[in-house]
Amino acid sequence: MKFVFLGWLFLFSGVTSQSEVYHVNSFGGDDAHAGTSPELAWKSLERVNTQIFKPGDQLLFKTGTRYSGQLKPQGSGAVIHGKPVCIAIDQYGNGPLPRIDGDGKAKDTFLLRNVEYWEVQNLEVTNLGTNRAPWRTGVNVVSDGFGVMHHIYLRKLFVHDVNGDLRKPHEGCGIFFESRGEKQSRFENLIIEDCHLLRTDRNGICQRTINGSRSTGVVIRRNLLEDVGGDGIKPWGCDKPLVEYNVVKGGRMRCEDAAAGIWPWDCDDALIQFNEVSGFKGTKDGQGFDSDYRCRRSVFQYNYSHDNEGGFFLICSPGNSYCEDTIIRYNVSQNDGINSARVFQFGGGVKNTLVHNNTIYIGPRQSLPLFSFNEWDRGNAENTRVINNIFYVEGQVTYRWDRSRNNVFSNNVYYGNHIGRPTDAKGSTNRPPLLKPGGAAFGLASTKAYQLQSCPAWLIGSGIPLAGGRDYFGKSLPASGPLTIGVHEFKY
């Protein structure tokens, strides 16, 4: 056994000792150099793209440098003795991020295609061409007939000014990852976190899957997206994707077709939590969040949505597809929906949606449907349950039911002017003692405005099994028994 262990150790040491650290400096480098020290740095992306990198290699760009063209590195890391040995891209030195300008010369400024075990951070990426172009991206990660593409981490990237096509069938994107081709090509363990996207068209961070595969281990976390032309964040073709702690400020700013803030498509068990979405324009969707079709058991919790012209939430499916068992709980919505929109929209044949323990604030200038149900491709909503929510209305709301069936409203608070409100035997019209309704601003911390100052008996609602374990503010929920209505589990 000692000999076997020593053999493994020798093999592993041999692999890691052969790894190299390569340097790139567009100001002082030379492509004839070896690249293996700052003094021997390469100069161009063209030289980088000819290198086949090995497990453990590092590719470092000097801070403050700038490059034009496409970065398309080759080679893959590997799993060695059960642990991933990755290839890393990073910066060296002190100063601004190294910047790569696609200038519209290539479809993708930074392309990782059919390679795996890469960890990339601290790059600035743009792709601003003279004219818009279909499928133009800043960063594109592609598994194309490759099979499972493992372990891609994108961190601390600044991606901005990408003028892709604004039409959904040809949409450009800031950070894009796509699965296509044979061998059930897909991703396993793909993480996008702590990135900043600004002025990316059409979308921000989006996935596209066109071969029917399902990626796993997809995490989109702590990213800031600003001034997005269309959709904000969209996982497509995943099992258990996690989208959390992202901020999307300003969406559907330039496109003319439908777009929303954060939404899964063709995903099961998506978890969307602790995100803030605001400033979506227009009413072709235009909501902060969307539980879209070909999805089952999506959970949206602890999110903050405000000032989205299309409303707070869309749940939708055409009649020939499905969107089932969505849970929308412990979210805050403030000033969502202009008068031609709605706060909640149920489009088509969605089934078994549970909306519980949310706090919804409607401002004094708003007059719109709070719940709007509509038929889509002969599909109509069934078995919608709305329980333990606070609907605090200072303007006016209405309700549209269309041909929806088996809607159950229970233990909700309907404060203000509700025209045609639903039957709710245990509902209340009293004014809930919120700290400062309508007083939240930007940032999750500002939503303390929706904490309760007291808890009269009429604010005790129904018990809900598997309610998430905590309220919006992090307080634990009782293991059994009734819950406080709204997002704040009040405890004396």
Side-chain angles (χ1 to χ4, degrees):
M1 290 297 293
K2 289 182 180 178
F3 288 117
V4 172
F5 174 75
L6 289 173
W8 285 349
L9 183 61
F10 176 79
L11 176 62
F12 182 76
S13 299
V15 171
T16 55
S17 67
Q18 293 172 19
S19 61
E20 297 282 359
V21 180
Y22 296 97
H23 300 76
V24 192
N25 181 348
S26 62
F27 297 148
D30 188 327
D31 286 344
H33 288 164
T36 50
S37 71
E39 295 74 24
L40 298 174
W42 296 328
K43 182 179 180 66
S44 70
L45 298 179
E46 288 78 10
R47 175 62 184 89
V48 172
N49 293 342
T50 65
Q51 185 73 23
I52 299 177
F53 296 95
K54 306 180 304 296
D57 283 352
Q58 298 178 59
L59 174 63
L60 306 180
F61 290 84
K62 183 173 175 55
T63 56
T65 56
R66 191 163 178 170
Y67 307 85
S68 179
Q70 182 184 58
L71 173 60
K72 184 183 178 182
Q74 302 182 71
S76 290
V79 173
I80 300 175
H81 307 315
K83 294 184 178 180
V85 180
C86 297
I87 304 168
I89 296 181
D90 205 339
Q91 63 181 1
Y92 73 97
N94 297 312
L97 294 177
R99 174 167 169 163
I100 305 174
D101 291 311
D103 296 324
K105 297 175 183 177
K107 183 173 71 71
D108 315 296
T109 299
F110 177 31
L111 175 63
L112 287 175
R113 181 181 183 276
N114 290 355
V115 295
E116 55 186 350
Y117 297 102
W118 281 80
E119 297 189 356
V120 182
Q121 64 180 11
N122 293 322
L123 295 178
E124 180 179 352
V125 177
T126 76
N127 202 357
L128 187 62
T130 304
N131 300 301
R132 296 186 181 278
W135 305 109
R136 178 175 290 157
T137 76
V139 178
N140 194 3
V141 183
V142 184
S143 179
D144 185 0
F146 181 77
V148 181
M149 189 167 158
H150 298 89
H151 195 106
I152 302 294
Y153 288 8
L154 306 177
R155 297 188 177 110
K156 299 180 182 178
L157 304 180
F158 179 31
V159 182
H160 63 97
D161 295 297
V162 178
N163 61 338
D165 201 308
L166 288 169
R167 298 168 295 173
K168 190 182 286 286
H170 310 279
E171 56 195 10
C173 201
I175 299 177
F176 194 45
F177 55 110
E178 54 181 329
S179 305
R180 62 193 188 209
E182 299 176 352
K183 302 180 183 178
Q184 280 291 289
S185 291
R186 62 192 186 278
F187 301 101
E188 184 177 304
N189 198 17
L190 185 150
I191 297 177
I192 303 170
E193 61 185 5
D194 300 309
C195 296
H196 182 194
L197 285 79
L198 175 66
R199 294 185 298 274
T200 61
D201 289 339
R202 175 181 181 270
N203 303 327
I205 301 174
C206 287
Q207 178 182 12
R208 185 169 183 256
T209 303
I210 58 174
N211 61 358
S213 65
R214 287 289 182 92
S215 296
T216 58
V218 171
V219 178
I220 303 172
R221 175 192 290 138
R222 293 191 307 268
N223 301 286
L224 170 62
L225 292 77
E226 300 180 283
D227 193 4
V228 178
D231 293 303
I233 298 174
K234 177 177 60 179
W236 171 347
C238 289
D239 283 335
K240 298 183 179 179
L242 174 61
V243 182
E244 62 178 3
Y245 297 103
N246 301 283
V247 176
V248 184
K249 298 173 69 174
R252 202 180 174 277
M253 304 297 285
R254 287 168 289 281
C255 78
E256 296 182 0
D257 47 15
I262 299 177
W263 55 285
W265 194 84
D266 192 22
C267 294
D268 286 346
D269 302 294
L271 180 57
I272 318 292
Q273 61 181 5
F274 303 109
N275 302 284
E276 178 183 357
V277 181
S278 64
F280 264 71
K281 301 299 183 182
T283 59
K284 287 186 178 179
D285 293 355
Q287 293 92 346
F289 296 88
D290 168 16
S291 182
D292 219 283
Y293 63 103
R294 292 180 64 174
C295 290
R296 294 186 175 94
R297 299 177 299 278
S298 300
V299 175
F300 295 79
Q301 59 186 11
Y302 319 126
N303 300 291
Y304 174 34
S305 174
H306 61 101
D307 303 292
N308 296 296
E309 293 184 357
F312 167 39
F313 219 105
L314 170 64
I315 311 98
C316 65
S317 172
N320 62 355
S321 188
Y322 60 88
C323 177
E324 299 174 350
D325 303 313
T326 299
I327 296 176
I328 304 164
R329 65 189 178 200
Y330 290 102
N331 302 284
V332 171
S333 166
Q334 177 179 286
N335 299 328
D336 280 326
I338 58 176
N339 290 347
S340 59
R342 59 273 133 174
V343 181
F344 288 90
Q345 180 182 2
F346 289 74
V350 299
K351 296 181 179 179
N352 307 325
T353 305
L354 174 59
V355 181
H356 78 85
N357 287 94
N358 301 281
T359 297
I360 311 298
Y361 173 83
I362 306 298
R365 297 181 180 180
Q366 291 178 270
S367 177
L368 75 169
L370 179 57
F371 283 82
S372 179
F373 293 80
N374 64 273
E375 186 172 281
W376 180 15
D377 191 26
R378 294 180 293 181
N380 291 279
E382 298 180 31
N383 303 325
T384 301
R385 292 180 295 153
V386 182
I387 305 170
N388 290 353
N389 301 280
I390 291 176
F391 302 123
Y392 194 108
V393 176
E394 291 193 337
Q396 175 180 285
V397 296
T398 57
Y399 297 80
R400 296 176 181 168
W401 307 110
D402 204 4
R403 298 181 181 179
S404 58
R405 300 181 292 274
N406 300 328
N407 301 310
V408 175
F409 285 68
S410 176
N411 281 107
N412 300 291
V413 172
Y414 308 86
Y415 171 72
N417 190 5
H418 292 252
I419 298 174
R421 71 179 177 89
T423 300
D424 187 341
K426 298 181 179 180
S428 170
T429 59
N430 293 323
R431 180 175 182 171
L434 300 173
L435 181 62
K436 191 179 179 181
F442 287 97
L444 296 181
S446 72
T447 55
K448 65 182 181 181
Y450 293 98
Q451 291 180 346
L452 293 168
Q453 300 179 83
S454 63
C455 187
W458 50 269
L459 273 175
I460 304 300
S462 302
I464 297 178
L466 303 176
R470 52 157 287 175
D471 75 352
Y472 181 88
F473 301 103
K475 292 187 176 182
S476 61
L477 301 178
S480 61
L483 301 173
T484 306
I485 295 173
V487 297
H488 183 193
E489 182 63 28
F490 191 87
K491 294 183 180 179
Y492 291 95

